[in-house]
Amino acid sequence: MLGPAGGSGRSTIAGLLAAAFSCAGPSVVLDTTPRLASPWPYWCAAPGEGLASIPPDRPATRKAIQEAASNCRTPEGRTWQALTDHQSWSSAPLSLPEDPAAWYQLAAAGGWQAVVADTPHAVAQDVISARCAGRTGQTASWCSLPFSVPVLSAAATGPGVQALQIAVKAAVAEGLPLQRAVVALTATSEGRQPSPVRAAAAMLRSHVFSVINVPYDPHIRTYGMSDSHRIRPKTLAAGYDLAGAVVASAHQVWGHPLPAARTPAPLSSDARVASEKVPA
């Protein structure tokens, strides 16, 4: 999950995707945002032990990783999970790994089939900062993981799509795999989309794999992904559309069925992986 700016609906779309993927197999949201900036500790129906229970300096078992995950439920009664930080708000912040390969290894060890990474960084800012510093940015690193399909989320407003267009320009300039990206335009009110949003959606369809419109949902606007049984059926249907587009994009690039993902390389004790060890 990538976004052009804050408030772009990344976490909501991540939850809708994980809920939709859960009909096919175990799915999880990786909450890579620091605790006090993340909604996930408040959205989970049954909190797990949390990320603090997974020691960064020694291997973790699948059982320990599963116990760290929190459970969320779909309106149909299925369970999907979220790996987030459930410590008290006043606890010292966790030192979360920055390298996406570390999160990928954690998810692989946990045994999930579908993994949705909820990221906090702004795409254009990350791309430009990385280019100026002569390093690989977070966006490029996430996109380099096995079978990764970038999902760009933006508010369906004039400012929202303007920020999205800048992010797309930055991604094109950096050579990121936009051709397999899925865009989610999230409505912020009832009614017809503004004309700038419709025009932006038409323009984006020539650059990305798919553009999906997510309708306005007053429950999500107020409560987020908590109490999922109150989410509107149209919103849940949009989540299935997004999941279908992600799977179709992956099949177009890597074939059907998808080959087995590579086993991730071992991580060092400081939870960092050299760039050459990240599977392509």
Side-chain angles (χ1 to χ4, degrees):
M1 282 309 311
L2 302 168
S8 59
R10 277 171 286 196
S11 297
T12 297
I13 300 301
L16 291 174
L17 278 170
F21 282 135
S22 68
C23 70
S27 63
V28 66
V29 170
L30 302 178
D31 180 15
T32 69
T33 304
R35 180 195 325 121
L36 296 181
S38 171
W40 285 105
Y42 312 102
W43 286 0
C44 300
E49 297 295 325
L51 286 168
S53 68
I54 304 175
D57 56 348
R58 59 182 184 272
T61 64
R62 177 163 296 184
K63 179 181 178 182
I65 296 172
Q66 287 284 337
E67 289 177 349
S70 302
N71 288 334
C72 305
R73 299 194 70 80
T74 69
E76 301 90 346
R78 296 189 308 274
T79 298
W80 51 279
Q81 294 177 298
L83 270 173
T84 187
D85 179 7
H86 277 295
Q87 295 185 100
S88 166
W89 69 269
S90 58
S91 300
L94 285 182
S95 179
L96 299 176
E98 292 186 1
D99 195 325
W103 291 97
Y104 171 71
Q105 187 191 51
L106 182 63
W112 290 284
Q113 287 184 288
V115 180
V116 185
D118 187 7
T119 68
H121 66 272
V123 171
Q125 178 71 23
D126 171 66
V127 169
I128 293 171
S129 297
R131 171 176 284 192
C132 293
R135 57 175 173 79
T136 301
Q138 290 282 300
T139 305
S141 294
W142 282 111
C143 291
S144 72
L145 294 178
F147 309 130
S148 66
V149 175
V151 180
L152 288 164
S153 176
T157 63
V161 295
Q162 285 177 350
L164 178 61
Q165 288 170 328
I166 293 173
V168 168
K169 289 179 182 178
V172 169
E174 194 65 12
L176 298 180
L178 273 182
Q179 72 280 358
R180 69 173 188 257
V182 175
V183 171
L185 292 176
T186 306
T188 59
S189 62
E190 301 279 11
R192 186 177 172 85
Q193 288 182 340
S195 56
V197 175
R198 298 196 303 272
M203 180 275 294
L204 285 168
R205 286 189 174 92
S206 64
H207 295 283
V208 301
F209 181 81
S210 181
V211 178
I212 305 294
N213 293 311
V214 181
Y216 174 73
D217 193 314
H219 174 76
I220 289 180
R221 191 71 173 172
T222 306
Y223 300 103
M225 290 299 295
S226 60
D227 298 327
S228 62
H229 63 280
R230 298 174 62 184
I231 297 175
R232 288 179 171 180
K234 286 185 178 180
T235 308
L236 296 172
Y240 283 104
D241 289 342
L242 282 164
V246 168
V247 173
S249 174
H251 285 160
Q252 178 174 282
V253 177
W254 294 289
H256 188 289
L258 292 175
R262 296 180 184 177
T263 302
L267 291 176
S268 59
S269 60
D270 61 358
R272 290 179 296 180
V273 175
S275 58
E276 67 270 18
K277 292 185 179 180
V278 179

